[in-house]
Amino acid sequence: MEWTLEVVVVPVSDVDRAKEFYAEKVGFKVDLDTEVAPGVRIVQLTPPGSRCSITLAEGLPGAPDQQTMTPGSLTGLQVCVTDIAAAREELVARGVAVSPVQHAGPQGWEDGPGGEWNSFMFFRDPDGNGWTVQEAPSPLSER
């Protein structure tokens, strides 16, 4: 049996503001924006080329026996690109506050690209949810 990661819920305080950020500034595709029940709205967006989407929700009850995440509390979300310099340029041009390209070194994070799989940049959404962008040596379909 396959277990595929397909959706990550991102906790936000304002679904419209977050939708605009992810669609207009980051470039995610809006797959769905619907009210699934009175007062319950789901917005699903997918990064270009990704097999996994994010969901922004309004009025959705918490899952049974799970803690509710507060807006801005999610960190460690990571996407990969094959050209981190071009991806950074695109984010900056769209108005995203993104870190310089960095790599992990003996003293921690150091400026500039590193070797294979060791070039990263970081940004936050309007609520403070943290994202990492990593440079991959080839597209996912070729790995």
Side-chain angles (χ1 to χ4, degrees), residues 24-42:
E24 303 301 322
K25 295 198 180 259
V26 184
F28 289 11
K29 179 184 174 280
V30 178
D31 301 314
L32 175 74
D33 184 346
T34 190
E35 188 174 63
V36 295
V40 180
R41 179 177 170 206
I42 303 291

Side-chain angles (χ1 to χ4, degrees), residues 12 21-23 37-38 41 47-48 51 57-58 65 70 72 75-76 84 96 98-99 105-106 112 119 123 139:
V12 298
F21 174 80
Y22 285 110
R41 179 177 170 206
R51 295 179 187 162
E58 193 170 72
D65 296 325
T70 59
T75 62
I84 200 159
V96 177
V98 61
S99 74
S119 294
F123 69 89

Side-chain angles (χ1 to χ4, degrees), residues 7-127:
V7 178
V8 174
V9 177
V10 178
V12 298
S13 61
D14 182 327
V15 170
D16 288 317
R17 179 181 70 173
K19 176 185 173 187
E20 179 182 353
F21 174 80
Y22 285 110
E24 303 301 322
K25 295 198 180 259
V26 184
F28 289 11
K29 179 184 174 280
V30 178
D31 301 314
L32 175 74
D33 184 346
T34 190
E35 188 174 63
V36 295
V40 180
R41 179 177 170 206
I42 303 291
V43 176
Q44 185 169 317
L45 303 102
T46 303
S50 180
R51 295 179 187 162
C52 185
S53 301
I54 64 168
T55 292
L56 314 171
E58 193 170 72
L60 186 68
D65 296 325
Q66 293 185 13
Q67 293 181 343
T68 301
M69 292 185 289
T70 59
S73 64
L74 190 58
T75 62
L77 296 164
Q78 185 164 320
V79 293
C80 289
V81 297
T82 55
D83 185 338
I84 200 159
R88 185 176 188 285
E89 204 173 280
E90 184 177 317
L91 290 175
V92 169
R94 291 176 176 216
V96 177
V98 61
S99 74
V101 174
Q102 300 175 340
H103 65 277
Q107 305 302 318
W109 290 108
E110 300 176 5
D111 286 341
E116 191 171 80
W117 291 105
N118 192 13
S119 294
F120 301 86
M121 62 183 171
F122 308 92
F123 69 89
R124 295 187 172 282
D125 73 10
D127 282 293

